[in-house]
Amino acid sequence: MMLKKNPAGKIGRNDPCPCGSGLKYKKCCLKKNKPVSGPDYLKKTYLEKYGIRLKEKHEIDGIRECGRLVVETLDLVEKMIEPGISTDEINRVVHQFAIDHGARPAPLNYKGFPKSVCTSVNDVVCHGIPGDRVLEDGDIINVDVTHVYKGFFADASKTFFVGTPGNDAKKIVDVAANCLKQAMTMLAPGRTIGDIGWAIQQYAENRGCSVVRDFVGHGVGCEFHEPPQVPHYGKRGTGTVLVAGMVFTVEPMINLGGHELYIEKDGWTAVTSDHSLSAQFEQTFLITDSGFESLTPFDL
């Protein structure tokens, strides 16, 4: 449902109440005689109730600029993916690209993470640490890039084929990419966080795959991780109502087998418990007055 506004910028009586109660405005804040005046009210309410910082124009411009560097980094990585390359070489290229463009890689030293990018190969769900591992023909690898540029963060990832993929690799990468596409159909004012997870879960499970529960999307922009959390499973119509100015990632982690995982001794690397393949695609999205904009756009 779209969030409609009258010419004065106020919420209509029958629109979803912007406080996130799930009720219509006339039965919620209007009934309580609370003044609602569009963006100013929403910004205060979402910050106080959910900790969500609705972004202003200059912040959105900054995140978009950072997002351009993130996508350019992924494009550079895509050209170098081939059998025989090490994940540490990917880390070196990502790190140097960020530095050369006046940015810095956000993962480096974040809560002790030792590298500048996450490289997750085959059964690694996420947070793979670059090192001596050499990519082999038939592997898949997710490369997750987050940069900080002029004080703003943007986050995106893609899963790449290494050499010639097998049928299982083709399937899981295709399903993960299409899960992100399905999520994008739910990105509009008046929708909910639960709508996003529902769309992803329905698509993945109908194709015999599973959705990881242990890791979720998140707000981003002024910090690396901000509210809200964005689960990639859920029920329609539940969770926080989406409103213009929200910026968050959607990053479905999809497994060919079960959704269970474990964390390796390094404290970071998440691996599927049944060692089935896992794939992920991620973009940073802005909710606009009429829908959404990807701040890290790439073709799926």
Side-chain angles (χ1 to χ4, degrees):
M1 182 183 296
M2 301 296 289
L3 187 66
K4 300 176 183 177
K5 297 180 181 179
N6 65 23
K10 294 184 179 181
I11 307 301
R13 293 171 61 88
N14 290 312
D15 292 327
C17 190
C19 75
S21 66
L23 301 174
K24 292 182 179 179
Y25 171 45
K26 68 179 181 180
K27 291 186 176 294
C28 190
C29 288
L30 180 62
K31 183 177 180 180
K32 300 171 186 175
N33 199 31
K34 289 185 179 180
V36 177
S37 54
D40 291 340
Y41 178 82
L42 288 176
K43 188 172 183 180
K44 180 179 179 181
T45 299
Y46 270 62
L47 185 61
E48 291 180 350
K49 186 166 185 176
Y50 306 113
I52 297 172
R53 178 174 177 171
L54 301 184
K55 304 303 189 289
E56 298 181 357
K57 183 181 183 303
H58 76 279
E59 295 169 326
I60 294 167
D61 290 342
I63 300 166
R64 186 186 293 112
E65 194 173 7
C66 184
R68 177 181 55 80
L69 288 178
V70 168
V71 174
E72 289 177 1
T73 307
L74 287 171
D75 290 343
L76 181 63
V77 167
E78 185 168 13
K79 294 175 182 177
M80 65 184 294
I81 296 291
E82 61 180 13
I85 193 172
S86 73
T87 53
D88 211 33
E89 178 64 11
I90 296 172
N91 180 79
R92 185 192 68 77
V93 168
V94 169
H95 181 91
Q96 195 60 49
F97 184 87
I99 299 303
D100 288 347
H101 289 80
R104 68 175 176 85
L108 184 61
N109 298 320
Y110 178 76
K111 296 186 177 181
F113 191 80
K115 297 288 184 172
S116 297
V117 67
C118 296
T119 52
S120 302
V121 182
N122 293 339
D123 60 350
V124 177
V125 175
C126 61
H127 301 160
I129 301 174
D132 295 334
R133 182 168 186 168
V134 174
L135 300 182
E136 300 179 1
D137 185 66
D139 284 345
I140 60 173
I141 179 171
N142 177 268
V143 180
D144 191 343
V145 175
T146 309
H147 289 330
V148 191
Y149 183 65
K150 297 181 181 179
F152 295 103
F153 295 74
D155 191 359
S157 80
K158 299 175 74 171
T159 299
F160 303 105
F161 296 122
V162 182
T164 304
N167 289 334
D168 284 349
K170 290 179 181 177
K171 176 179 178 179
I172 194 61
V173 171
D174 178 73
V175 172
N178 279 293
C179 280
L180 186 56
K181 288 183 181 179
Q182 292 298 311
M184 291 162 71
T185 68
M186 297 293 156
L187 300 181
R191 296 283 192 178
T192 69
I193 294 291
D195 292 340
I196 299 170
W198 173 85
I200 293 168
Q201 184 178 9
Q202 291 295 307
Y203 186 88
E205 292 181 353
N206 284 341
R207 283 150 186 81
C209 298
S210 64
V211 180
V212 169
R213 268 70 166 165
D214 299 75
F215 298 99
V216 298
H218 54 89
V220 68
C222 297
E223 298 179 30
F224 195 163
H225 295 97
E226 307 174 14
Q229 292 190 350
V230 184
H232 304 114
Y233 60 95
K235 296 181 179 180
R236 297 191 75 168
T238 63
T240 306
V241 176
L242 305 184
V243 296
M246 292 176 71
V247 176
F248 52 81
T249 70
V250 182
E251 47 186 295
M253 288 149 270
I254 309 300
N255 297 347
L256 196 61
H259 66 79
E260 297 86 1
L261 57 82
Y262 66 91
I263 307 298
E264 292 191 339
K265 292 181 180 179
D266 59 27
W268 287 99
T269 307
V271 181
T272 58
S273 293
D274 57 10
H275 294 288
S276 61
L277 293 176
S278 184
Q280 176 189 15
F281 288 85
E282 172 188 14
Q283 293 189 25
T284 295
F285 294 106
L286 163 71
I287 302 300
T288 67
D289 287 329
S290 59
F292 75 94
E293 176 190 348
S294 176
L295 301 178
T296 54
F298 56 77
D299 292 334
L300 289 164

